[in-house]
Amino acid sequence: MMEYGVLSDLVLTHYIDFSKIGSGEINLEGYRYYIGENLCTLQIDSSIYPEDNKEVAEIEV
């Protein structure tokens, strides 16, 4: 069981830039990966500010 509180391995790297909201700007900020015996996990860090009334439906790597 995981207790509630600060995670020592978690680093806050993103913030909301309110001036970019609705701009349609999408940026790749970084990525992390883990390769296990039978599994490869990829985590993408990005900043996404979709245009008004639009959404991001898919991200291709």
Side-chain angles (χ1 to χ4, degrees):
M1 174 179 258
M2 183 174 159
E3 293 181 20
Y4 177 79
V6 177
L7 300 175
S8 60
D9 295 332
L10 181 64
V11 177
L12 180 61
T13 58
H14 293 287
Y15 59 92
I16 298 173
D17 185 344
F18 290 97
S19 69
K20 293 183 180 182
I21 291 177
S23 68
E25 186 173 315
I26 299 174
N27 293 311
L28 176 64
E29 304 289 339
Y31 65 92
R32 292 186 278 288
Y33 64 91
Y34 171 77
I35 299 175
E37 187 174 321
N38 295 316
L39 178 69
C40 178
T41 303
L42 175 66
Q43 178 181 355
I44 298 173
D45 295 329
S46 59
S47 297
I48 301 174
Y49 298 95
E51 295 175 10
D52 292 338
N53 300 316
K54 293 189 177 179
E55 62 182 41
V56 176
E58 182 178 352
I59 297 176
E60 291 186 23
V61 179

